[in-house]
Structures are given as C-alpha cells and as structure tokens.
C-alpha cells in the first residue's frame, strides 16, 4: 500500500548565523527552538567537516531535508513519521520535500526579489517582509486545491476549453493592448490559454505565477496590480502582474512594465476584448475540475489521470470516483485519496523510470542536488517507456512517449494484462479530441 504523507513543517533560517526567520506548517505544535537549533547545528557541523548533509530519516520514520540557497538562506523541511509505507515510500517523501524547498525559495524570490534574500542586511526587516510570502507558502505546504499538481510536476496546470481558438485570439489581443507579450486566462485556478511568451517562461515561474493568481483571486478583489520578480528570468527587476476577474472563477492576467495603469487597462482592453466572450467564458467554466471538454469521453474504469505534454510543460488532470461497488469489494476511493495516489504514482514513476526534463530551467546547484540521490534508472540498459503498479486500492499504469507522459489510476477489477490497452486508448482519445 502506498504512502500517505504526514504533516510537514517548514523552517527558514539565515545560513550564516542560524537566526530563525519563520516557521510554517499545518501542525499546531511547533518544533521547539532547541530542536530547530539542533537541526541547524548538525548541518553546520557537517559542512565544517566537508560533508553535505541533505537528507536524513528519524527512528520514528520521519524525514528531514536541508537546502541552502545563495549561501544566505537555509530551508529545512521536517515530515512527521507514522505514514503508511510501501512502493519506496521514503524516496517518494524525499522527492516531495526537496521539490517543496525549491518551490518555497522560488516563491520568496517571486515576492521579494533575489537581492533582498541573498544580501541580508537587516534580519528583523526581512522577517517582516517575508510575511507577504506566507499565503503562497501555505498554499504549497497544504495543497489546498485538489487537482493542482504543478508544484510537484513543475508543469502548468491547464484546462482545455471547448472553444480554444476564440479564447486564444482574445488573450493575444488583450495582452497586446496592455503593452505586454505575456498574458493568460486562468479558469478554476488552471490556465485555459496563454500567449506564446507566457509559455516560454520557465516552468517553475509559470507554476508559481498560477499559484499567486489563485491566491489573489481568493482574496475577493475584482482586480489588482501586484509587483513580481521572475525567479529565473528576472530575479532582481520587478514586473507588474495585472489581474482582472472576468467572471467568478475566470481571471485575465498580464505581466507588464510601468504602463498601462490598472484603471486604464480595466476600463479599456478588459471590456473591449472580454465582454463579447461572456458565453464562451461560461462554457469554459462549465468544464470544471474535469479539465477536459465534453467531446472527450473517458472509460468508466479510469479513476484518475495526469497527462503531461513534455514539450510545452503543460498538464491536465482529473479524478472520476466510482459510485458503486460489488458485494465483498472494498468501498470506492474518495476523491482526496485518488489525488494522493495519483501524486504518489507520479513520483514513483518519475523517480525510478521516466525522465523529468527540466534541465533547461534548473540551476546548477539544483541539478547537483538531484544528482546526489540514488538514480534507480541507471540499472537499466534502456529508457523505460511503461511501468505499472498494483496495490490493494487500485492499479496504476504510466506511459511515456516522445511528447507525452500519461499516468492512470484504474479500478482494481481491470485485469493487469489490460492496463496497457486502457492507457493507450485513453491517450489516443484525449489527443484526438483536444490536440493536446
């Protein structure tokens, strides 16, 4: 049976002196200062002996990972023990925690800029400034919205609308009218369409901008003007993120410079390009969490899927829980458990068999950090293209092609020999219906 993670606490300290900057986590019981000091001390001791301490496991099954960024800020993630194990659960947890630390650092750069973090001049002021990152960091820690997997996959969570051509023309024209080449339409927290330059941003930047847009949308404001730094494209010079609510659940956004003003864009381009498309936007909203248009029909034995376009670094995902089961069978899985199993199978597959192709957008220190972990795939004389996993709760199958990766959760009643057929048919049906 696959692992179900326990609670996670995140610690942030100055790398040189170990002064705590903040602690975040869902657990009400915070780690005592003595434990925080010990975690920092053992890392510093290892560094003094020429040892790079990146991860350890406690006797109770907990996991601790360390990461120092720009020789200035140390992030420590502590995951509680007692979780259900299996399928290499310890490795899955380490992958998630390492990815969490990368995302949190990029989140801090997105909001504050790299200069303020790399050159800490006033610790107390930095503590105050970091509070503006807490809503985003909590979103990463708590994974509040089911089906949002970008923080794990570093692919843009997408929704495939029924009328993509109309929306693409609107977002291109809207961005141009706002003196920008970077624009997108976000529906239910997922990108429905975006300009070509938006897709050219580094995948972690697209993921974090989407998270920020969700956070701003949840604030209830109809529009906002928010300064952001791009962690890889522009870590020291801020841009403006303009967000406009078109309908509840649908937001148009652009990244721009000093012009236009928020009011000017709201009274001009927003109404001109989006008002004629209200019904098209409603059709897009109707797609909902399924993320696929009604023209795509899925097999009834498919519980959940995650489809990644390896070239564009976009993904679509959905869960379809079973409502009935035969006498003697286990009760159907909840939606939350399906999402958890889908994430765990993704980590299981990509950490052992499939490639995570992010070399163009990963810093040298991050690439070196990943090389420190055991690479299970090195034992193969070839690149695996398929993998599967059978558990008590479901059967899972992963398929990799030159352009796509597809991960499925399938009812346990489906024969194991039929898993490949179900997966290839599902991929063919989605591509035929959407061109994704």
């Amino acid at each position: 049976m696959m692992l179900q993670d326990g609670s996670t606490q995140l610690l942030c300290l100055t790398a040189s002196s170990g002064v705590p900057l903040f602690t975040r986590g869902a657990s009400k019981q915070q780690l005592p200062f003595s434990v925080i000091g010990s975690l920092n001390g053992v890392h510093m001791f290892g560094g003094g002996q020429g040892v790079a301490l990146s991860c350890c496991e406690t006797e109770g099954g907990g996991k601790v990972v360390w990461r120092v960024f720009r020789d200035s800020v140390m992030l420590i993630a502590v995951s509680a023990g007692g979780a259900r194990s299996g399928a290499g659960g310890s490795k899955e947890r380490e992958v998630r925690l390492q990815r969490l630390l990368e995302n949190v650092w990029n989140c801090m750069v997105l909001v504050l800029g790299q200069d303020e973090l790399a050159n800490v001049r006033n610790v107390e002021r930095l503590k105050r400034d970091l509070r503006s990152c807490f809503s985003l960091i909590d979103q990463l820690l708590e994974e509040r919205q089911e089906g949002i997997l970008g923080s794990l996959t570093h692919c843009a969570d997408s929704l495939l609308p029924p009328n993509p051509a109309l929306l693409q023309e609107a977002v291109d024209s809207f961005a141009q009218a706002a003196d920008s080449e970077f624009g997108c339409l976000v529906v239910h927290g997922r990108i429905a369409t975006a300009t070509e330059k938006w897709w050219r941003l580094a995948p972690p930047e697209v993921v974090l901008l989407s998270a920020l847009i969700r956070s701003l949308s949840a604030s209830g404001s109809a529009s906002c003007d928010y300064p952001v730094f791009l962690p890889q494209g522009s870590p020291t010079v801020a841009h403006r993120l303009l967000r406009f609510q078109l309908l509840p659940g649908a937001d148009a956004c652009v990244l721009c410079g000093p012009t236009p003003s928020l009011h000017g864009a709201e009274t001009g381009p927003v109404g001109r390009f989006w008002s004629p498309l209200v019904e098209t936007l409603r059709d897009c909203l109707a797609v909902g969490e399924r993320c696929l248009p009604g023209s795509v029909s899925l097999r009834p034995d498919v519980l959940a899927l995650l489809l990644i376009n390896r070239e564009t670094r976009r993904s679509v995902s959905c869960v379809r829980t079973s409502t009935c089961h035969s006498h003697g069978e286990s009760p159907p899985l909840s939606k939350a458990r399906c999402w958890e199993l889908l994430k765990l199978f993704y980590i299981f597959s990509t950490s052992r068999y499939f490639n995570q192709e992010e070399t163009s957008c990963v810093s040298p220190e991050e690439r070196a950090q990943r090389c420190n972990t055991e690479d299970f795939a090195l034992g193969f004389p070839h690149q695996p293209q398929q993998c599967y996993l059978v558990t008590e709760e479901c059967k899972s199958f992963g398929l990799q092609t030159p352009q796509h990766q597809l991960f499925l959760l399938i009812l346990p009643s489906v024969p194991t020999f039929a898993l490949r057929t179900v997966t290839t048919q599902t991929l063919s049906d989605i591509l035929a219906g959407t061109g994704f």
Side-chain angles (χ1 to χ4, degrees):
M1 192 173 294
M2 286 196 278
L3 166 75
Q4 187 173 27
D5 284 357
S7 60
T8 299
Q9 287 203 35
L10 177 74
L11 314 175
C12 180
L13 308 88
T14 58
S16 58
S17 57
V19 176
L21 297 174
F22 67 80
T23 302
R24 307 299 295 175
S27 176
K28 295 181 180 179
Q29 185 176 359
Q30 300 291 333
L31 291 174
F33 182 78
S34 59
V35 173
I36 297 175
S38 298
L39 291 174
N40 176 61
V42 70
H43 185 275
M44 291 183 66
F45 177 79
Q49 304 301 312
V51 177
L53 179 61
S54 62
C55 178
C56 78
E57 191 163 345
T58 69
E59 291 182 355
K63 184 77 81 171
V64 183
V65 297
W66 291 261
R67 189 77 177 275
V68 176
F69 296 88
R70 294 284 170 176
D71 295 323
S72 176
V73 172
M74 175 188 290
L75 291 175
I76 307 173
V78 182
S79 177
R84 289 188 286 177
S85 61
S90 177
K91 187 174 181 66
E92 269 74 60
R93 199 144 33 122
E94 181 181 347
V95 170
R96 291 179 81 161
L97 293 176
Q98 293 286 4
R99 178 53 57 87
L100 171 66
L101 298 190
E102 292 177 25
N103 290 333
V104 170
W105 167 255
N106 285 330
C107 167
M108 293 159 61
V109 174
L110 181 81
V111 176
L112 300 181
Q114 186 174 280
D115 285 345
E116 186 169 349
L117 296 167
N119 304 296
V120 181
R121 300 178 182 86
N122 187 316
V123 172
E124 293 304 317
R125 189 182 70 181
L126 179 59
K127 285 182 181 180
R128 292 193 298 270
D129 292 344
L130 283 169
R131 293 173 187 169
S132 58
C133 306
F134 286 174
S135 62
L136 267 181
I137 292 173
D138 291 344
Q139 190 179 147
L140 295 172
L141 271 171
E142 299 169 16
E143 299 176 336
R144 295 174 182 172
Q145 187 169 349
E146 289 183 346
I148 299 298
L149 307 180
S151 60
L152 175 64
T153 65
H154 273 187
C155 296
D157 292 289
S158 303
L159 179 147
L160 305 183
N163 297 299
L166 285 175
L167 296 174
Q168 184 67 56
E169 182 181 357
V171 80
D172 288 339
S173 301
F174 171 65
Q176 184 178 6
D179 296 329
S180 173
E181 295 180 299
F182 301 88
C184 71
L185 172 67
V186 176
V187 176
H188 294 310
R190 301 167 174 88
I191 300 179
T193 188
T195 62
E196 182 182 355
K197 286 291 184 71
W198 187 280
W199 292 127
R200 288 187 186 179
L201 294 171
E205 294 173 344
V206 177
V207 168
L208 286 177
L209 285 171
S210 298
L212 177 59
I213 292 166
R214 288 192 295 272
S215 178
L216 295 173
S217 181
S219 69
S221 62
S223 61
C224 60
D225 185 342
Y226 198 93
V228 294
F229 298 83
L230 301 178
Q232 295 177 32
S234 181
T236 58
V237 179
H239 296 265
R240 295 167 63 219
L241 175 66
L242 304 186
R243 182 197 66 86
F244 306 94
Q245 184 184 74
L246 307 177
L247 291 172
D251 297 291
C253 307
V254 291
L255 279 176
C256 61
T259 58
S261 68
L262 180 67
H263 178 72
E266 193 169 18
T267 56
V270 172
R272 185 160 75 251
F273 294 108
W274 294 110
S275 293
L277 297 179
V278 170
E279 290 306 317
T280 304
L281 290 171
R282 288 200 175 105
D283 291 341
C284 191
L285 286 163
V287 173
E289 292 184 359
R290 189 173 187 268
C291 295
L292 298 170
S295 58
V296 177
S297 60
L298 299 176
R299 293 174 55 108
D301 44 24
V302 173
L303 293 174
L305 69 86
L306 166 62
L307 175 60
I308 292 174
N309 187 311
R310 300 170 67 187
E311 294 180 357
T312 62
R313 303 300 299 168
R314 299 176 62 192
S315 72
V316 291
S317 58
C318 67
V319 161
R320 303 164 65 246
T321 53
S322 177
T323 56
C324 59
H325 64 286
S326 302
H327 179 71
E329 290 185 354
S330 301
L333 296 173
S334 68
K335 181 181 288 188
R337 183 58 179 161
C338 281
W339 282 121
E340 180 66 14
L341 291 174
L342 186 61
K343 287 184 282 190
L344 292 171
F345 181 60
Y346 168 81
I347 300 173
F348 173 80
S349 303
T350 54
S351 62
R352 286 164 171 77
Y353 302 106
F354 298 161
N355 288 329
Q356 287 180 295
E357 295 152 321
E358 303 173 49
T359 54
S360 62
C361 61
V362 174
S363 67
E365 65 174 5
E366 291 174 10
R367 197 176 299 120
Q369 181 72 28
R370 294 181 187 182
C371 290
N372 288 334
T373 61
E374 180 184 359
D375 192 352
F376 180 80
L378 288 178
F380 293 95
H382 62 282
Q383 174 62 52
Q385 303 300 311
Q386 301 169 12
C387 67
Y388 72 95
L389 187 65
V390 177
T391 70
E392 297 175 2
E393 297 176 281
C394 67
K395 294 180 178 179
S396 309
F397 197 92
L399 173 67
Q400 179 169 258
T401 71
Q403 190 174 356
H404 296 93
Q405 288 177 341
L406 177 61
F407 306 89
L408 287 190
L409 299 188
I410 302 169
L411 286 173
S413 58
V414 175
T416 302
F417 66 80
L419 297 180
R420 178 189 299 175
T421 301
V422 172
T423 306
T424 54
Q425 179 185 333
T426 301
L427 179 61
S428 177
D429 290 344
I430 295 176
L431 297 185
T434 65
F436 182 78

